[in-house]
Amino acid sequence: MSEGESGSGTAKSGRTGRRPGNTDTRTAILDAARTRFADTGFDKTSIRAIAGDADVDPALVHHYFGTKQQLFAAAVDFPADPEVTLSVVDRAPLDELGVTAVRAVLTVWDSPAGPGIVAMVRSMFGGGEPNLARSFLLQVVLERVRVRIATPDDDGRARISLAAAQMIGLLTARKIIGIEPLASMPIDAVVDAVGPSIQRYLTGDIDTGSW
């Protein structure tokens, strides 16, 4: 990445005292990011603030981790690049969000990254505060979908929480508890069964006025 390379050079020559680009620098950035994200959350944390905490040039943060979202994923040890899945959902028409989201998420769960995601969910069930995994789910993954379904009369928060509950229940039953036949059902069958329910939560006729 040319920006990162030029930033690394700047850190070495133009900013005396800054850490050079090496493994120790990467670790320092991750440590600083975990602390910042835990203390102030995703939205209020900036790359510049993390770089300052780690005593590196901001260009080095981009060089090692890319975007702030990708840095957050690394900070919580997310085993897959969330942008791959989220971009699939972003491209889906609004009336196909449910089936698209279920298929995209199931595909990741059934991939080699699946065990790591299950471990992350387990940590959300039993972890203490501050829980970065929970923050990642709420502030990055769910917020990305909520923005798409929000309207002037409905901010989408109740809808997205219902959809998340269904998906977490699906993951728990399929991957953690192993309830059959759900645990062994082909992805297409699960998508056909669960996708319409997720779509209803996201865009269907639900009375959110009294919530």
Side-chain angles (χ1 to χ4, degrees), residues 140-163:
V140 175
V141 178
L142 297 184
E143 182 64 12
R144 183 91 158 249
V145 180
R146 186 198 67 79
V147 169
R148 286 205 62 192
I149 65 172
T151 68
D153 300 321
D154 181 357
D155 63 11
R157 297 189 186 281
R159 292 178 176 276
I160 204 68
S161 66
L162 289 169

Side-chain angles (χ1 to χ4, degrees), residues 56-168:
V56 301
D57 191 281
L60 274 178
V61 181
H62 292 293
H63 173 67
Y64 281 113
F65 298 101
T67 66
K68 185 171 74 167
Q69 178 177 292
Q70 290 169 319
L71 174 57
F72 200 173
V76 300
D77 295 322
F78 197 76
D81 184 353
E83 185 60 33
V84 174
T85 301
L86 289 172
S87 63
V88 171
V89 178
D90 284 345
R91 293 193 297 269
L94 204 59
D95 61 354
E96 296 179 13
L97 271 179
V99 295
T100 302
V102 174
R103 184 178 299 281
V105 171
L106 283 175
T107 299
V108 176
W109 289 349
D110 287 357
S111 75
I117 296 174
V118 170
M120 178 176 162
V121 172
R122 287 183 185 274
S123 77
M124 292 171 61
F125 289 159
E129 295 294 345
N131 192 313
L132 282 180
R134 184 183 296 110
S135 297
F136 179 74
L137 175 65
L138 295 176
Q139 299 179 27
V140 175
V141 178
L142 297 184
E143 182 64 12
R144 183 91 158 249
V145 180
R146 186 198 67 79
V147 169
R148 286 205 62 192
I149 65 172
T151 68
D153 300 321
D154 181 357
D155 63 11
R157 297 189 186 281
R159 292 178 176 276
I160 204 68
S161 66
L162 289 169
Q166 176 100 28
M167 293 302 294
I168 292 171

